[in-house]
Amino acid sequence: MSIYRNTIWFFKGMQEYTRSGYEAAAKRFNPADLEVNLSGRSFMVTGANSGIGKATAQEIANRGGTVHMLCRNKGRADAAKEEIVEKSKNQEVHVHIVDMSNMRQVWEFVETFSQNNTLHVLINNAGCMINQRELTDEGIEKNFATNTLGTFILTKALIPLLKKATDPRVVTVSSGGMLTQKLDVDNLQFEKGTFDGTMAYAQNKRQQVILTEAWAAQHKEIHFFSMHPGWADTPAVQTSMPSFHAKMQSRLRTEAMGADTVVWLAASPSASKQKSGLFFQDRTAVATHLPLAASKSSPQEEEKLVIVLEELAQKFKP
């Protein structure tokens, strides 16, 4: 079944996830959707110093929004902020140094941030694909820590603050790669079997989609969205998937193309009319499973995922 899923997914990707796929989809976009003034609205973007996160932060700053950049590396974050401010002429761009793979640090950041700030939109963009199984200092597999558990804690901890805002939203940057995976709730940190970084990443991205659906059902006051940015030419792709990048470079989307639907979901009035919990690609809600792929999990498996994450999250709460 995995061979079937991977084959169907790759052909789908060649048609839809590439630069030409974006250009075809963009013909039906309504330019007025992003002709918005975001002054007075506050946006948090994780992994905002490069790639899709930086492109997203730039577009929000261009439209007058307050941007909170969550980054791990202060030097790169400050350089990105300087560039974003220079291009947008918007001084309301703020850097916060947070390692999304450090659970205690994520909890502590939210506790401090929530005391003095408002937040309208959270954009969960930070991610990693590490090709060897490595553990964080807290004993969590690194891909799972950054992509899933860190995202879970940040979102869960910010929900009370988001509920105080007008038109609150959470946008999680997932990946079409999750279409190749069925949730394996009994092996979340790849403790069993041979480790495969690409598969671990795709599992994490499937987990993010399931969490988005669960949050949407639980918190009706907030719009939750997950999305696929397409295959974009980002530093992360160059580093984590060098052979894919080398073969596909001429067909990859730009960072701005990858960020387009993130910005649309985060900022457009049209997006707020969409049903919460859906998965988007090029400003359109799309299926979360390939045809005949047998990738759907049971409600019990999805409930178990949330329970396991809750237990792990509480373990690291200060």
Side-chain angles (χ1 to χ4, degrees), residues 33-95:
D33 279 359
L34 285 178
E35 292 171 2
V36 289
N37 182 345
L38 300 177
S39 59
R41 285 183 68 78
S42 174
F43 299 76
M44 183 179 291
V45 186
T46 66
N49 63 275
S50 68
I52 288 167
K54 182 183 174 187
T56 298
Q58 183 71 66
E59 292 297 330
I60 291 167
N62 290 349
R63 290 164 175 79
T66 296
V67 180
H68 294 281
M69 302 170 60
L70 263 65
C71 306
R72 188 174 53 182
N73 182 290
K74 189 175 189 306
R76 289 199 290 267
D78 287 343
K81 172 190 170 178
E82 187 177 333
E83 185 180 331
I84 290 166
V85 169
E86 185 179 342
K87 287 182 178 177
S88 66
K89 311 304 179 192
N90 180 351
Q91 298 297 321
E92 289 299 318
V93 181
H94 310 280
V95 167

Side-chain angles (χ1 to χ4, degrees), residues 299-310:
Q300 292 78 17
E301 288 171 318
E302 295 180 3
E303 187 178 339
K304 184 176 179 181
L305 170 67
V306 175
I307 290 169
V308 170
L309 291 173
E310 287 276 11

Side-chain angles (χ1 to χ4, degrees), residues 141-157:
E141 191 275 314
K142 285 187 177 179
N143 292 294
F144 177 75
T146 302
N147 301 330
T148 301
L149 188 54
T151 296
F152 177 82
I153 291 174
L154 183 68
T155 305
K156 174 185 169 64

